[in-house]
Amino acid sequence: MLSIIDAAIAMLQSRNFATHLAPQDALTRGTPKDRLEISKRFECLAMNLKQLSETLGLSQTTVSRALNGYPEVNEDTRRRVMEAARRHDYRPNTRAKSLATGRAMAIGHVIPISTKHEIVNPIFADFIAGAGETYTKMGYDMLLSVVPDADQARCYREMKAKRNVDGVILHGPHFDDSRIPLLTEIGLPFIVHGRSTNATLPYSWLDVNSRRAFERATGLLLDLGHRRIALLNGLEHMDFALRRRAGYSAALQGAGIEADPALMRSEEMTEGYGHRAAIQMLRADAPPTAFLTSSLIIALGVRRALEELGLKMGRDVSIVTHDDELSYLRNGEDIPIYTAVRSSVREAGRMAAEMLIRRITDPTLPHLDRLLEAELTIGQSTGPAPNRGARQGGAG
Amino acid sequence: MLSIIDAAIAMLQSRNFATHLAPQDALTRGTPKDRLEISKRFECLAMNLKQLSETLGLSQTTVSRALNGYPEVNEDTRRRVMEAARRHDYRPNTRAKSLATGRAMAIGHVIPISTKHEIVNPIFADFIAGAGETYTKMGYDMLLSVVPDADQARCYREMKAKRNVDGVILHGPHFDDSRIPLLTEIGLPFIVHGRSTNATLPYSWLDVNSRRAFERATGLLLDLGHRRIALLNGLEHMDFALRRRAGYSAALQGAGIEADPALMRSEEMTEGYGHRAAIQMLRADAPPTAFLTSSLIIALGVRRALEELGLKMGRDVSIVTHDDELSYLRNGEDIPIYTAVRSSVREAGRMAAEMLIRRITDPTLPHLDRLLEAELTIGQSTGPAPNRGARQGGAG
DNA sequence: CCCGACTCTCAAAGCGCTTTGATAGCGCGC
DNA sequence: GCGCGCTATCAAAGCGCTTTGAGAGTCGGG
């Protein structure tokens, strides 16, 4: 028995355990015990607490306390322990640690994939980069689950039952989102990136003031004399999209203009959508003189449409977009190309993660929330409405 | 003592543990034992093996074997157990399970952030979506670590020592990448998305044939009569960028054309880069008639440059791009806008994950590798070289 | 009617850590 | 010289699971 194990280890250590060596199927054929033995010996690079304490001639208790900063350890002893741990590059086994403490030291993110279009929300990468920074800083891990829209509830329940996360961040909340009562019910701490209008239960959230942002953006276009302003929104079961439309409508109403349904679209935010919608609207009888888009990617599509129709952006047609400041899709380098209401998704990720961890470490904390204001930056994509005089007539 | 716990639980169950109730600081002030007791009682929604086995009047052993498909369990018993597990929504505690089995059932992804530009590679979202699908299917979790470029080695060592992953996927390999010997040394199974020229150790990888793809793309432009073809590449310490340049150079050389350094750039792949480089090159003395770009995002920038200079894409200047088929940045909807060499990153994620899991479950397997061919699709961005007759003269 | 073979089930050990409750050592005052 | 309080350490229990090695029950052949 032992010789099989030895052979396997020899093979592993020879570092070419890649090349097919026929007789060494011990690793798969061996009993679970063998497997464990093999991995234990092979992984001996990594020390465990017992070994470390034996090396030091101390008990596991003392070593553990020394490393975790408990006060009842002699400072000399602590130093000695710390030093040895550093030297042997000792790291406690996460699995054992969390089993013992009841804390997983991990945060879950469920990334839903819209089954219709198979689209991953492009802001995830940046949000997660931001959250990840915080996690790394605070010693947490990040667990991702990519699931089809419909399986989300199951996924959350599973996370709870399997106990491999201490909390989750809820992405892309809908109007009256069912995940909020679900998470509250199963008792998994969470924070929402966004808000859910109509939610009855209290919850923690971090959001951008979309309504205000779009009200201001629309206001800017109105000030420039635009009267026919198109809104290319995201899918309107998404809460943020509703708020954006509300802001847009409020601004129009404030200027005494009735929103024209022909100028309002709501779709998955792709370049193609922006292009298609812009072409259609601009070829219609009463074309818009300005577009307000819910993402930079949509704006790219609109721009392509303008180009095809021989229209000049910022002169013939204006564009204002929401800009999530994605790292790989910058709105210009020094000077912004598009006039935009900006808000950093990455920074949102950092902050949301921090808030969640705060709530996890102290569950008595009241619900936290934070409303960020978007910043309005003027770029080259906006200008006065072209046919101002004609359209406004004596009214303005 | 107990009353404090009871109060805390009552509070938790009342579901408004959000609102500040002054005296209930038991949760933070209590001893660790209290905390555990509280969480145990509060989390009673989730059953553990012991409870389940007691409910059934069976031993933990039998229940465990029944659930894990061991043969020595009576089929009737198994059915009974399965049914009860389903009814109580029992899920084994991951932490306990992996402690006992020695398998973390998780794969790690280290996402390096280029410290200079703070850019997250935009392909991650899609790659991870693909890999995530596989993980979910195979019962694995995905662990993400976002770390600054320089900290990667530490991060990998930590993953190994903390034992919270069974393997990792290595992203964005460089020429002669030091992470390959590192991972081999510490004995963490891995698969590379891409390849690393000059690596001496054997390793498993999945890659696109970048060289061939760029050779074909360049060939297409040459066939169209283009002689001055610019290459807007990614950073050339990245292995894929080197291969792409090699393909480009080979094609030019095959046509007897010497590559002009003035027409070759290598930078972080952003829209701004594409725009800037195109403007500069097109304004120079001998402007290119075609651009070959390493990403769709760069191509967008080139297009914007063309627009600004009043040039028409596909007529005045041609563009061929590499296209990773990102879900949120499609190259047109029905008909492709850009002529491109395409390869789905998502599909690559799916396959890489599968290969890695295969190697994890059977370490005796030889190293796996897979070379995918990119597909060349003609779009509207390419056309014959404008001044063909003039340039080629009698030679063509 | 007994015994070996086979089927099904079990108690207990162990995974690597934290935490408890106990103990050894020590100086101090009475 | 005894008990007291204090500090620094320890052995052992427990987290929830898997796996071992053994035991109880059943059945059919001799």
Side-chain angles (χ1 to χ4, degrees):
Chain A
M1 181 69 85
L2 263 190
S3 67
I4 291 182
I5 295 177
D6 288 336
I9 291 175
M11 180 184 82
L12 285 168
Q13 286 175 336
S14 76
R15 266 201 196 158
N16 62 351
F17 48 100
T19 57
H20 225 30
L21 302 176
Q24 273 120 353
D25 48 358
L27 280 171
T28 36
R29 308 214 126 271
T31 64
K33 194 174 180 180
D34 290 353
R35 265 197 280 119
L36 211 62
E37 172 68 19
I38 292 168
S39 70
K40 225 171 62 192
R41 291 222 239 152
F42 182 55
E43 292 179 356
C44 61
L45 298 144
M47 252 200 171
N48 64 17
L49 185 61
K50 192 169 163 192
Q51 290 160 2
L52 184 63
S53 65
E54 278 165 5
T55 312
L56 283 159
L58 288 170
S59 75
Q60 295 188 43
T61 314
T62 306
V63 175
S64 170
R65 312 211 106 149
L67 292 173
N68 290 314
Y70 281 70
E72 54 272 77
V73 178
N74 187 318
E75 272 313 312
D76 282 351
T77 312
R78 189 193 304 279
R79 254 193 297 280
R80 211 156 59 85
V81 171
M82 294 289 228
E83 167 56 20
R86 212 191 41 67
R87 214 174 43 242
H88 293 118
D89 199 30
Y90 166 79
R91 297 294 155 83
N93 179 321
T94 326
R95 280 121 60 174
K97 186 164 182 162
S98 45
L99 182 56
T101 56
R103 295 198 162 310
M105 294 306 283
I107 307 290
H109 290 245
V110 173
I111 305 214
I113 299 211
S114 95
T115 20
K116 261 211 311 267
H117 312 285
E118 284 239 317
I119 280 190
V120 194
N121 191 331
I123 72 163
F124 274 128
D126 263 66
F127 185 90
I128 274 172
E133 282 176 42
T134 302
Y135 296 150
T136 302
K137 210 168 52 194
M138 316 271 266
Y140 277 76
D141 284 329
M142 167 162 48
L143 215 82
L144 245 66
S145 249
V146 180
V147 298
D149 258 347
D151 294 354
Q152 281 188 75
R154 182 149 53 83
C155 184
Y156 284 119
R157 286 185 187 282
E158 206 166 294
M159 280 188 165
K160 172 66 177 186
K162 288 170 64 182
R163 286 179 164 63
N164 47 10
V165 300
D166 295 320
V168 298
I169 292 196
L170 185 54
H171 295 281
H174 300 179
F175 172 84
D176 196 12
D177 199 301
S178 62
R179 292 170 296 177
I180 292 177
L182 172 72
L183 287 170
T184 309
E185 181 202 324
I186 63 181
L188 195 56
F190 67 100
I191 180 166
V192 181
H193 178 212
R195 277 171 290 175
S196 178
T197 310
N198 222 29
T200 51
L201 297 166
Y203 61 94
S204 296
W205 53 266
L206 170 89
D207 198 7
V208 175
N209 195 342
S210 298
R211 193 196 142 99
R212 168 98 68 96
F214 271 54
E215 193 167 352
R216 286 179 64 197
T218 311
L220 172 73
L221 289 168
L222 288 167
D223 288 346
L224 287 167
H226 295 275
R227 288 302 173 266
R228 291 194 57 76
I229 302 171
L231 173 67
L232 301 188
N233 208 350
L235 288 167
E236 288 191 355
H237 61 265
M238 301 299 283
D239 199 83
F240 77 87
L242 284 175
R243 293 178 193 272
R244 289 180 184 175
R245 175 141 70 101
Y248 163 83
S249 300
L252 288 184
Q253 200 171 355
I257 297 175
E258 194 159 347
D260 180 352
L263 294 185
M264 287 157 57
R265 293 279 172 99
S266 157
E267 282 187 36
E268 191 105 59
M269 307 190 280
T270 63
E271 202 264 358
Y273 156 47
H275 177 256
R276 199 177 344 105
I279 293 273
Q280 286 170 5
M281 289 183 181
L282 290 169
R283 281 191 178 146
D285 282 347
T289 62
F291 286 85
L292 184 53
T293 65
S294 256
S295 93
L296 201 49
I297 294 179
I298 301 179
L300 292 175
V302 174
R303 179 184 193 129
R304 182 160 60 92
L306 298 187
E307 187 189 344
E308 277 180 26
L309 298 174
L311 296 167
K312 185 154 165 52
M313 178 174 86
R315 190 194 63 198
D316 305 320
V317 175
S318 290
I319 302 180
V320 179
T321 184
H322 181 87
D323 175 12
D324 288 305
E325 300 186 27
L326 303 183
S327 62
Y328 54 89
L329 199 64
R330 282 277 141 84
N331 178 10
E333 302 201 315
D334 328 301
I335 43 167
I337 299 162
Y338 297 95
T339 296
V341 277
R342 295 174 14 174
S343 170
S344 165
V345 162
R346 185 137 172 192
E347 180 58 24
R350 270 190 281 260
M351 288 175 34
E354 235 163 71
M355 289 165 72
L356 178 58
I357 291 176
R358 234 180 27 235
R359 271 187 61 72
I360 287 171
T361 44
D362 181 3
T364 59
L365 231 53
H367 273 301
L368 305 170
D369 48 54
R370 178 125 188 213
L371 188 59
L372 306 171
E373 289 300 335
E375 191 188 335
L376 179 60
T377 52
I378 308 296
Q380 309 157 41
S381 68
T382 40
N387 41 3
R388 183 172 200 157
R391 269 192 191 273
Q392 285 195 234
Chain B
M1 180 70 85
L2 262 190
S3 66
I4 292 182
I5 295 177
D6 288 335
I9 291 175
M11 182 186 82
L12 285 169
Q13 285 176 338
S14 76
R15 267 200 196 160
N16 61 349
F17 49 98
T19 56
H20 226 28
L21 303 176
Q24 273 122 353
D25 48 357
L27 280 172
T28 35
R29 307 214 127 272
T31 64
K33 194 175 182 179
D34 289 354
R35 266 196 281 118
L36 211 61
E37 172 68 20
I38 291 169
S39 71
K40 226 170 63 190
R41 291 224 238 151
F42 182 56
E43 292 181 354
C44 60
L45 298 143
M47 255 200 168
N48 64 16
L49 185 61
K50 192 170 165 190
Q51 290 160 1
L52 184 63
S53 65
E54 278 165 5
T55 312
L56 283 159
L58 288 170
S59 76
Q60 296 188 42
T61 314
T62 307
V63 175
S64 170
R65 310 212 108 147
L67 292 173
N68 290 314
Y70 281 70
E72 54 272 76
V73 179
N74 187 319
E75 271 315 312
D76 283 350
T77 312
R78 190 193 303 279
R79 254 193 297 280
R80 210 157 59 84
V81 171
M82 293 289 228
E83 168 55 21
R86 213 191 40 69
R87 216 174 41 245
H88 295 123
D89 199 31
Y90 167 78
R91 296 294 156 83
N93 179 320
T94 325
R95 280 122 59 177
K97 187 164 181 161
S98 45
L99 182 56
T101 56
R103 295 198 159 310
M105 293 306 283
I107 307 291
H109 290 245
V110 174
I111 305 213
I113 299 211
S114 94
T115 20
K116 260 211 313 265
H117 313 284
E118 283 239 319
I119 280 190
V120 193
N121 190 332
I123 73 163
F124 274 128
D126 263 66
F127 184 89
I128 275 172
E133 282 175 41
T134 301
Y135 297 150
T136 303
K137 210 167 54 192
M138 317 270 267
Y140 277 76
D141 285 328
M142 166 161 50
L143 215 82
L144 246 64
S145 249
V146 180
V147 299
D149 257 347
D151 294 354
Q152 281 189 73
R154 184 150 50 84
C155 185
Y156 284 120
R157 284 185 189 282
E158 205 166 295
M159 281 189 164
K160 172 67 177 186
K162 288 170 63 182
R163 287 180 164 63
N164 48 8
V165 300
D166 295 321
V168 298
I169 292 195
L170 185 54
H171 295 282
H174 300 181
F175 172 84
D176 196 11
D177 200 301
S178 63
R179 293 170 296 176
I180 292 176
L182 172 72
L183 287 169
T184 309
E185 180 201 326
I186 64 182
L188 196 55
F190 68 99
I191 181 167
V192 180
H193 178 211
R195 276 171 291 175
S196 177
T197 309
N198 221 29
T200 51
L201 296 165
Y203 61 94
S204 296
W205 53 266
L206 170 90
D207 197 7
V208 175
N209 195 342
S210 298
R211 193 197 143 99
R212 169 98 67 97
F214 270 54
E215 192 167 353
R216 285 180 64 196
T218 310
L220 172 73
L221 289 167
L222 288 167
D223 288 346
L224 286 167
H226 295 275
R227 288 300 173 266
R228 291 194 57 76
I229 302 171
L231 173 67
L232 302 188
N233 208 351
L235 288 168
E236 289 191 354
H237 61 265
M238 303 298 283
D239 199 82
F240 76 86
L242 284 175
R243 291 177 195 274
R244 289 181 185 175
R245 174 141 71 101
Y248 162 84
S249 300
L252 287 184
Q253 199 170 358
I257 296 175
E258 195 159 347
D260 180 353
L263 294 184
M264 287 157 57
R265 293 279 173 99
S266 156
E267 281 187 36
E268 192 106 58
M269 306 190 277
T270 63
E271 202 264 357
Y273 158 45
H275 178 256
R276 198 175 347 102
I279 292 274
Q280 287 170 3
M281 290 183 181
L282 290 169
R283 281 190 180 146
D285 282 345
T289 62
F291 286 86
L292 184 53
T293 66
S294 255
S295 94
L296 201 49
I297 294 180
I298 301 178
L300 292 174
V302 175
R303 182 186 188 124
R304 181 159 61 90
L306 298 187
E307 187 188 344
E308 277 180 28
L309 298 175
L311 297 168
K312 186 154 165 49
M313 177 173 86
R315 190 194 61 198
D316 305 321
V317 175
S318 291
I319 302 181
V320 179
T321 184
H322 182 85
D323 175 12
D324 288 306
E325 300 187 27
L326 305 182
S327 62
Y328 54 88
L329 199 65
R330 282 276 141 84
N331 178 10
E333 302 201 316
D334 328 300
I335 43 168
I337 298 163
Y338 297 95
T339 296
V341 278
R342 295 175 16 177
S343 170
S344 166
V345 162
R346 185 136 171 191
E347 180 59 23
R350 270 190 281 261
M351 289 175 32
E354 235 162 72
M355 288 165 71
L356 178 57
I357 292 177
R358 224 165 52 221
R359 271 187 61 73
I360 287 171
T361 44
D362 180 2
T364 59
L365 231 52
H367 273 301
L368 305 169
D369 49 53
R370 179 128 186 210
L371 188 58
L372 306 171
E373 288 301 334
E375 192 187 335
L376 179 60
T377 52
I378 308 295
Q380 309 156 40
S381 67
T382 40
N387 42 2
R388 185 172 196 155
R391 266 189 195 276
Q392 285 197 236

